[in-house]
Every structure is written in structure tokens, then in C-alpha cells.
Amino acid sequence: MIKNNDKISENQTTILLFTTILGAGILSLSSDVAQSAGPDSLIALLLGGIIALFFARLIGHIASKFPTETFVEYSAKLVTKPVSVIISIILTGYFLIFVSLDLRIFADVSKAYLLNNTPVEIIILTLMFTSGYVVRYGIEPISRMSEILFPIMVIPLLLIFLPSIADVDLSNFLPILRTPPLELLKGILNTTYSFVGFEILYVIFPYINKGEKLKKCINVSFAAIILFYMYITFYVIGIFGYKETRLQLWPLLTVIKSINFPGFFIESLESLVIAIWTFAVFTTISAFQYAAVLSISKLIKAREHTYLVLPTIPIIYLMALIPDSIVEAYKFVKYVSDYLALFFIIILPILLYILMKIKNKEGKNNENN
């Protein structure tokens, strides 16, 4: 049974989607896009975002047909119970892997820029327990937290680039569409993975107060995140050029270092950005951890997800320590994006939609007979 205080509003849904998509990948976004699409990075981001929007709408549409059930429950009606259980377990593992990789990247970046003498294990555990504390109280506090942190994350990042507008060289984007069509297509598909995070729609629909407004929530959140990503990429590639951008691990931090604020009282501007980025990581891992714990509770038919939060922490912690370095962590992220994300954000929604249509047609034929 869903309690009244576990329901989230239209605005909270919109912001929750935005903050879940905006995660650890924001630091390397420009480099990833530049590697895939070169000078046409902005076009790839726009088209990749539109493709991601289409599949987010598709997942939302499927979930809306089962308004009181999460993926664990309604998928059993479409793909049979045993197959549903297997897919649900893999989906839960996917959520946990994402949390662990985001945590590992967060810990390595924080150690490099802010906490040089702090072991990554301590950084991971600190954020993990803080996230677990919020997740215990359900989706409504997670959404309220996202509402509070949203302006703190977005407004400073929008303003911080303005002094460097004169350094942007528009010739870095010209002439447009000089990337070979096949490479551009591959770049668009790779860019679609930059919008990973909307998969939480598989499980959160029953907790949205006005489910009929979900389509609008998805449209608004995607419009905002596409523009935000394009804004950052415009400055990074506009200043460095795509050839230099694709060689850097965290080009966002590099370009921030080069910005000069006359009379600004904070000497190390990248430290401020890391602090803001911490909020982005926190909101992402909270939403993913909640989706994972909720899925487990539905799988084992537990009455509350609360008691399952603590047992997942050591699992996520050990998974976060598997990569030997930040480079290996990014390799794992690429594997997850290429295979698991491809399955859960593109292939699975299409399969579920086709099965749902077949079931509906069979149901109508049976009624007519």
C-alpha cells in the first residue's frame, strides 16, 4: 500500500527526473560528445536528447497502463512470471551498478580536487550512508531534497560561464555537419546514453500524484536538461575546440580553471564547481538507490523498503571498490552504457510495448468471441 506522504507532485517529478539525469557524467560530458561527434557535438546532443525523450515517453506510457504497479509487478503480466523475475533482478543490479560507479567517480574526483588525504573508502561510505538515510524515508523526501538542491546546482553553473563568452570561438563549430553520416549517427546514439537516469520511470509511476501529467513532466525535464547540456558543451568546445576537448578527462573543470572572475573572492573556482557537482551526484545516487531498494522489496514481497536500505550499502560499497582506478571506472561505465543501458532504455521498452499491444488485441478478440 502506498502512503499519502509517498506521493510526489508534478513539479517534484519534473525536477526529480532532471536531477537524476544530471549526475557524475556532467564533468566528462563534453569530452564524451566530442569523441563521438566532433564539431557536430551540439547537434548530436540535441538529437540524442530527443531520442532519449522518445524512450522516456515510451517507458512512461507503458508504466501508466499499470498505475498501481511497479515494473516487478506489471512486467509479469507481459513476459510471464519467470522471465519477469530474471529481468527485474538484472534491472535491480543495473541500478546498483550505476550507484556504485557514480560513487567511485565521485570519490576519485573529490580526492583529486578537494580531499587529497582522505581515503576513497571514507568518501564513498560518507556519501553512501547520507544517501541511505534519505532513501529510507521514501521518494517524497528524495524529491523535496531535489527541489531544494536544483537551483543550487543549476544557477551557479549557468552564471559561472558568462565571463568567458568572449573566449568562445564559433569557428570551432563550423562548418556544421562535416562529420560523416555514419559517425554522426554513432555519436547521436552514444549521446543518448548521456541522458541515462529516466529508467527510474519503470518503478516510480505509482508514486506520482497526477500520473496523467507525466508526459508533460518528461517533456519539461528533458527540454531543460538538453538545453543545459548544450549550454555547457557550447562553452567547453567553443573555448578549447573539439580536438583538445576529446583528449581531456574532465574538460568542464579545465575550462572553469581558465575563467577569470575580476574581484571574485573565491580563488579556486573548480572547488566551488566540485561542491555543486557533489549535489548532482547525491541526487542521482539517491534516486537510483531508491529504485533498486524498492525493486528488491517488490521482488521479495516485503511490506516496506525501509529495512532493505542498510543491507544494500555494503554491496554497493564493495562494487564501488572493484575498479582499480578512475580510468577503469570509466571503462566500466562504458560497458554498462553499451550493453545494460542499451537494453533497458531502448530494447526493453520496445519489446514491452509490442507485447502490450499483442495482449490488448488478444483481449479484444476474446471479448468479441
Side-chain angles (χ1 to χ4, degrees):
M1 193 176 97
I2 299 170
K3 299 174 187 173
N4 287 334
N5 63 359
D6 273 346
K7 288 279 188 177
I8 59 175
S9 67
E10 187 182 337
N11 284 340
Q12 287 176 326
T13 306
T14 304
I15 292 175
L16 180 66
L17 281 173
F18 182 98
T19 55
T20 305
I21 294 171
L22 182 70
I26 186 71
L27 294 185
S28 59
L29 171 71
S30 307
S31 175
D32 297 338
V33 180
Q35 286 174 28
S36 301
D40 296 312
S41 295
L42 293 180
I43 296 171
L45 263 178
L46 177 63
L47 297 180
I50 292 172
I51 292 172
L53 168 63
F54 171 79
F55 285 104
R57 291 268 301 263
L58 187 59
I59 294 172
H61 173 73
I62 295 165
S64 68
K65 300 299 177 189
F66 309 92
T68 60
E69 297 172 329
T70 66
F71 177 83
V72 176
E73 293 141 333
Y74 69 73
S75 63
K77 297 175 181 173
L78 299 174
V79 296
T80 74
K81 182 78 175 175
V83 177
S84 162
V85 170
I86 293 169
I87 297 176
S88 299
I89 292 172
I90 299 172
L91 179 64
T92 305
Y94 168 76
F95 288 142
L96 293 175
I97 290 170
F98 235 94
V99 175
S100 64
L101 288 174
D102 267 12
L103 273 171
R104 180 54 190 268
I105 292 169
F106 167 77
D108 281 328
V109 175
S110 300
K111 186 175 174 62
Y113 281 89
L114 288 178
L115 308 167
N116 308 84
N117 298 319
T118 307
V120 290
E121 291 84 355
I122 300 299
I123 300 172
I124 290 171
L125 282 173
T126 304
L127 195 63
M128 194 69 268
F129 276 104
T130 311
S131 169
Y133 179 79
V134 179
V135 170
R136 279 188 79 248
Y137 291 95
I139 192 167
E140 207 271 339
I142 295 172
S143 302
R144 267 192 284 127
M145 181 189 66
S146 294
E147 273 185 307
I148 295 168
L149 295 179
F150 173 77
I152 300 173
M153 290 189 287
V154 173
I155 295 173
L157 278 177
L158 289 176
L159 296 177
I160 216 164
F161 285 105
L162 292 180
S164 62
I165 185 69
D167 299 325
V168 173
D169 183 356
L170 293 179
S171 66
N172 287 324
F173 300 101
L174 298 175
I176 61 170
L177 293 176
R178 56 177 148 157
T179 309
L182 278 178
E183 278 187 35
L184 182 61
L185 192 64
K186 188 182 171 187
I188 292 169
L189 185 62
N190 288 337
T191 306
T192 303
Y193 300 139
S194 302
F195 296 88
V196 161
F198 60 84
E199 311 88 289
I200 61 169
L201 289 170
Y202 278 122
V203 296
I204 68 166
F205 188 84
Y207 302 89
I208 300 172
N209 222 344
K210 293 182 179 177
E212 68 276 8
K213 298 283 183 69
L214 178 63
K215 199 186 290 182
K216 181 184 171 188
C217 299
I218 295 173
N219 289 344
V220 173
S221 61
F222 265 84
I225 196 75
I226 290 171
L227 290 175
F228 189 67
Y229 278 177
M230 289 179 71
Y231 179 81
I232 289 174
T233 305
F234 169 76
Y235 273 96
V236 174
I237 295 182
I239 292 172
F240 288 140
Y242 72 92
K243 288 180 181 174
E244 190 176 339
T245 300
R246 62 175 33 158
L247 296 175
Q248 297 182 39
L249 191 57
W250 302 312
L252 176 62
L253 292 178
T254 312
V255 82
I256 293 290
K257 274 184 184 176
S258 70
I259 297 174
N260 182 28
F261 268 91
F264 201 60
F265 61 92
I266 296 179
E267 188 179 341
S268 178
L269 209 54
E270 67 270 22
S271 300
L272 177 65
V273 173
I274 292 289
I276 296 168
W277 176 68
T278 301
F279 296 138
V281 176
F282 184 53
T283 50
T284 299
I285 65 169
S286 299
F288 269 105
Q289 190 183 5
Y290 174 76
V293 172
L294 184 68
S295 299
I296 295 171
S297 71
K298 298 296 180 185
L299 275 167
I300 63 174
K301 299 187 186 305
R303 291 187 63 185
E304 294 278 347
H305 77 282
T306 310
Y307 308 106
L308 298 168
V309 175
L310 203 57
T312 61
I313 290 179
I315 298 171
I316 295 169
Y317 170 74
L318 292 173
M319 289 167 70
L321 293 180
I322 291 176
D324 288 331
S325 62
I326 185 71
V327 176
E328 197 167 293
Y330 275 112
K331 279 184 184 174
F332 283 127
V333 170
K334 188 172 185 330
Y335 294 147
V336 172
S337 298
D338 286 351
Y339 300 105
L340 284 176
L342 173 68
F343 178 73
F344 283 113
I345 70 175
I346 296 178
I347 297 174
L348 185 60
I350 294 173
L351 288 176
L352 292 177
Y353 182 76
I354 293 171
L355 288 170
M356 198 171 71
K357 286 294 178 188
I358 293 172
K359 295 270 183 188
N360 286 342
K361 194 174 180 181
E362 286 177 353
K364 285 179 183 174
N365 289 338
N366 290 336
E367 283 178 13
N368 292 333
N369 293 332

